[in-house]
Amino acid sequence: MVYGLISDIHANLEALEAVLAELSGVDAFLCLGDIVGYGPDPEACLARVRGLRPLTCVVGNHDLAAVGDYDLNWFNPYARAAVRWTAERLSADDRAFLAALPDRAEVAGAALAHGSFPHAMEYVTDTLEARAALEAMPRDLGLIGHTHVAEAYRMRAGSRLCAQVPFHSGGEVKLEEGLRQLINPGSVGQPRDGNPLASFGRYDTEARRVEVCRAPYDVEAVQRKMRRAGLPAPLIERLSVGR
Ligand code: ZN
């Protein structure tokens, strides 16, 4: 079974379509949250993700914020403005879909959460935070998003030494007995690891492998839509540089 890994789409339809074209042969999809927020196409991205079958999806902080279920004080002013813009555009049905998403899931030997374990909305940005998550996760493989940085962390059973593996230009990890691994496939719609290409992954349960890849998309088309929508300039500009 091959699962397509998508996370942090952030209402970027052009990036999502480019990634789904790359994932056309997969058997199922795992979405790690933040379908909406920041970008100009929340309804279209929700329709596209909801149409993926079979799909397991966990909720992100921006998804919760868009349905009024997350404290906006955690957001910077640009993110807050985008949350308000997004909330006005969601149908009752899309709101119900987002509100019903779980904050954790387990599929095919992998534990899924938007940000970390055991607290789904915390961030994993270094080996210290990763070690806590690796120790808390209920499976040897953890799949997370939230930071928009494609990377992996690994730790041997019985050891407290945690190693960080950057996937800035893609990469792959092998799953091994006795090795706990936390993998972030990066962000589809707003990468922040210095590479503006859309980031995504594939989890192959038979080959016991997770790979992370990048796909080009029409960044300028998205930026034009964001300008027309009146979304904050810093959110538009960052897409060009992947920061
Ligand atoms: Zn996000």
Side-chain angles (χ1 to χ4, degrees):
M1 190 98 168
V2 178
Y3 292 87
L5 302 178
I6 52 176
S7 189
D8 298 279
I9 297 157
H10 284 295
N12 183 334
L13 184 63
E14 281 70 12
L16 178 60
E17 292 295 0
V19 163
L20 292 180
E22 295 285 328
L23 292 175
S24 60
V26 302
D27 304 301
F29 291 88
L30 304 178
C31 177
L32 304 171
D34 278 2
I35 301 167
V36 302
Y38 295 134
D41 283 308
E43 314 101 302
C45 286
L46 272 163
R48 198 70 171 91
V49 171
R50 293 180 66 179
L52 299 172
R53 301 260 154 71
L55 166 74
T56 303
C57 185
V58 292
V59 75
N61 52 325
H62 285 259
D63 303 322
L64 288 176
V67 297
D69 203 8
Y70 199 76
D71 185 353
L72 288 186
N73 290 320
W74 289 100
F75 286 71
N76 67 45
Y78 306 125
R80 226 176 289 157
V83 164
R84 294 205 178 97
W85 184 90
T86 302
E88 287 168 14
R89 275 153 188 88
L90 297 184
S91 67
D93 194 48
D94 280 338
R95 296 171 66 84
F97 169 80
L98 291 175
L101 289 175
D103 65 358
R104 273 182 292 178
E106 285 184 38
V107 179
L112 281 56
H114 182 56
S116 185
F117 303 92
H119 304 296
M121 298 307 166
E122 284 186 356
Y123 289 87
V124 172
T125 60
D126 58 27
T127 52
L128 202 68
E129 290 163 349
R131 197 172 70 193
L134 284 159
E135 283 170 349
M137 66 196 203
R139 299 282 180 155
D140 281 348
L141 174 62
L143 301 171
I144 54 167
H146 202 25
T147 60
H148 302 202
V149 173
E151 61 182 356
Y153 295 90
R154 52 172 60 186
M155 194 165 71
R156 291 247 161 240
S159 165
R160 300 208 76 212
L161 270 179
C162 176
Q164 185 175 20
V165 185
F167 284 147
H168 164 268
S169 312
E172 111 174 21
V173 295
K174 288 270 187 198
L175 306 181
E176 291 169 38
E177 208 57 41
L179 187 64
R180 288 175 84 74
Q181 303 196 83
L182 191 59
I183 297 170
N184 188 328
S187 169
V188 171
Q190 196 203 73
R192 292 180 194 161
D193 47 12
N195 181 347
L197 303 183
S199 196
F200 64 100
R202 280 187 198 88
Y203 168 31
D204 186 328
T205 56
E206 262 141 63
R208 306 283 297 144
R209 181 178 68 204
V210 179
E211 61 171 338
V212 174
C213 317
R214 310 296 284 226
Y217 72 96
D218 191 346
V219 175
E220 285 171 18
V222 181
Q223 291 173 317
R224 279 196 296 275
K225 287 190 201 174
M226 291 175 79
R227 257 178 237 118
R228 273 203 300 273
L231 286 160
L235 299 181
I236 301 171
E237 289 153 14
R238 71 188 306 173
L239 295 181
S240 305
V241 289
R243 286 284 179 206

